[in-house]
Amino acid sequence: MTPRETPRTLDHRTAGEAAGGGGGPVPDGVDVEELRALARSLACEAGTLVREGRPERVEVAATKSSAVDPVTAMDRASEELLRARLAVERPDDAILGEEGDDVPGTSGLTWVLDPIDGTVNYLYGVASYAVSVAVVAGPPDPERWTALAGCVHSVVDGRTWTAALGGGAERDGRALHVSRPASLAGSLVGTGFGYSAERRAHQAQVLTSVLPRVRDIRRLGAAAIDLCLLAEGALDLYYERGLNPWDVGAGGLVATEAGAWLGGLRGRRASSTMTVAGAGPVVDELVHLLEAADADGDGRAAPR
Ligand code: LIP
């Protein structure tokens, strides 16, 4: 290995604890298993609405960060259902949702909602989209929050993943454990691309460094599901630049409670700058490869 790629061992304790669960204490009086059960009930109820209400031909109601970043009427309806339920079940908690305004709270807890993660898949009828519901303590920012509980519900086939801080991760009753691939070259890696052409151009450049070094790439279109597939060993590694808090809220905790390290590059926690997940030491190699490829940059810096 060239000196430039000499691996330094990631501080899995800090990053793992700091990223998914956050390592912060569970606030007094908070029952994470009670929160897990509520997250599951909310995600499954919204999932039923999305599944049963999907029209034959889905229309784009509006676009957001770019002309290809869609929102549909069902994204909004699903989020309205989640917010209405939370207003009754958890009136003192705050809400951070993809499709609506932030709701302040007094409890110190925030529900982080993605009413349909994988909206483009939903639009095209590609069966990989989910409702993601998480609850966090502290600032509703992946770099500072403590994730307490979460659920990712795959709408089309009903697979349902949940996790609670310190309580492990499960899918439909089966406890989850990440894979421990023997090598980067033998690892199946999940990733995704952004809604801006400039961002995708840089992500494609990074991919030219990653693809020759791994088994293969999977681009499934919903980060929440990707992180849950990692948790159950259906993916060995995952990375993506540009994720929003609601994309990683529940899936990130499912991954860390299944034994994954979840973090960013250059010692940072997972954030919109970069989210990487997997088990050591192979995830260390991926982090170093992404750092060398300037994956957390914007493509204007010369590759290191
Ligand atoms: C999607 C993510 C996916 C990413 C897409 C988009 P959305 O979230 O789950 O991983 O590649 O660009 O951000 O917009 O469907 O909620």
Side-chain angles (χ1 to χ4, degrees):
M1 260 188 205
T2 61
R4 187 175 53 189
E5 292 177 2
T6 303
R8 68 186 185 288
T9 302
L10 295 172
D11 181 343
H12 284 269
R13 180 191 51 74
T14 308
E17 282 181 332
V26 175
D28 295 343
V30 167
D31 177 338
V32 291
E33 289 303 336
E34 187 187 296
L35 294 175
R36 181 199 316 234
L38 179 56
R40 171 193 275 275
S41 139
L42 294 173
C44 292
E45 186 179 342
T48 301
L49 174 80
V50 175
R51 186 172 43 255
E52 295 177 355
R54 187 181 188 283
E56 192 52 40
R57 187 180 157 71
V58 177
E59 302 291 338
V60 173
T63 56
K64 299 183 288 184
S65 64
S66 79
V68 292
D69 179 4
V71 60
T72 68
M74 190 56 87
D75 286 275
R76 292 172 175 162
S78 173
E79 184 150 331
E80 277 155 26
L81 180 155
L82 293 169
R83 286 170 179 262
R85 291 273 274 108
L86 283 166
V88 173
E89 298 283 346
R90 304 283 308 185
D92 303 331
D93 296 352
I95 295 176
L96 170 66
E98 178 169 8
E99 307 304 348
D101 298 334
D102 298 355
V103 173
T106 56
S107 66
L109 303 189
T110 300
W111 291 83
V112 182
L113 310 175
D114 194 334
I116 302 180
D117 187 40
T119 298
V120 172
N121 285 347
Y122 171 75
L123 192 61
Y124 283 79
V126 175
S128 184
Y129 50 91
V131 178
S132 174
V133 174
V135 56
V136 303
D141 164 6
E143 286 202 270
R144 295 182 291 152
W145 70 25
T146 296
L148 300 175
C151 177
V152 174
H153 173 72
S154 171
V155 171
V156 174
D157 59 17
R159 287 171 300 164
T160 303
W161 297 269
T162 74
L165 183 60
E170 60 87 38
R171 170 161 70 85
D172 304 318
R174 182 168 63 88
L176 304 180
H177 304 286
V178 290
S179 68
R180 296 196 177 275
S183 69
L184 186 60
S187 294
L188 186 63
V189 180
T191 193
F193 311 110
Y195 285 124
S196 84
E198 189 190 4
R199 167 65 54 80
R200 289 195 299 279
H202 180 50
Q203 289 170 320
Q205 199 183 334
V206 170
L207 206 50
T208 61
S209 298
V210 173
L211 200 46
R213 299 282 303 280
V214 300
R215 169 192 290 258
D216 203 344
I217 289 284
R218 291 292 178 271
R219 199 294 192 242
L220 302 171
I225 294 180
D226 292 343
L227 287 161
C228 291
L229 293 177
L230 178 101
E232 61 180 57
L235 288 173
D236 296 311
L237 294 166
Y238 172 78
Y239 76 92
E240 186 160 356
R241 175 166 166 63
L243 292 180
N244 293 295
W246 40 80
D247 296 322
V248 70
L253 185 64
V254 170
T256 53
E257 284 296 321
W261 176 86
L262 182 76
L265 303 185
R266 307 178 214 289
R268 292 183 59 177
R269 287 178 58 174
S271 70
S272 60
T273 302
M274 182 54 74
T275 297
V276 185
V282 170
V283 72
D284 302 5
E285 288 185 65
L286 178 62
V287 165
H288 305 318
L289 177 56
L290 292 169
E291 288 172 347
D294 187 39
D296 54 347
D298 54 19
R300 281 189 270 273
R304 301 196 184 109

